[in-house]
Amino acid sequence: MVKHIVLWNFTEGLSESEREEAGEKMKALLEPIKELVPGAVEIQVVRNEFLSSNRDIALISTFETPDALTTYQNHPAHVEAGKYVRSVTCNRACMDYEFM
C-alpha cells in the first residue's frame, strides 16, 4: 500500500468564503477520481481546523501499489483538477510512503 499526502496553503488574498469555496471545489474535483483509478483505495480532501497546523488544506490518499499512484497522478481528471488546485494554492508539500 502507498500513502500519498499533499499539503497546501491557500494563496494570499482569498477571503474566508473564497477559501471555503476553493476547499469544496478541490474536494469535488479530487475525491471522485477514486472511482476512476484502479487501485485507488481512498482519496480525501480535508481543511485545517486547528491553529497548530501550518497548512490550510490536505489531500490524503491511499493506493494499492506505487503503479496505482502513478496512474492517478497521470489520469486526465487529476491533471485537470491540478490546474484548479494550483490556481488557489501555494506552498505545496508532499510525502509518499509504502506501508503494509
Side-chain angles (χ1 to χ4, degrees):
M1 300 287 274
V2 176
K3 188 66 80 171
H4 173 64
I5 303 169
V6 185
L7 306 167
W8 300 270
N9 284 325
F10 288 116
T11 56
E12 292 293 321
L14 291 181
S15 68
E16 184 54 38
S17 64
E18 289 169 326
R19 289 170 179 244
E20 181 71 30
E21 182 180 312
E24 289 302 316
K25 185 166 182 178
M26 288 173 65
K27 187 176 190 70
L29 289 171
L30 291 166
E31 289 184 355
I33 300 172
K34 175 184 174 277
E35 304 306 322
L36 305 174
V37 175
V41 176
E42 176 185 33
I43 299 175
Q44 181 182 24
V45 175
V46 294
R47 291 267 324 261
N48 170 28
E49 297 179 5
F50 297 97
L51 294 176
S52 58
S53 298
N54 61 12
R55 292 292 193 266
D56 296 323
I57 192 160
L59 166 70
I60 303 166
S61 51
T62 306
F63 298 89
E64 292 176 356
T65 64
D67 287 340
L69 171 59
T70 299
T71 299
Y72 162 77
Q73 290 171 323
N74 294 306
H75 192 281
H78 178 264
V79 172
E80 192 62 30
K83 293 175 186 175
Y84 176 74
V85 171
R86 284 187 299 278
S87 77
V88 295
T89 62
C90 61
N91 301 327
R92 180 183 183 272
C94 177
M95 182 173 178
D96 299 325
Y97 63 93
E98 285 191 86
F99 68 99
M100 294 191 173

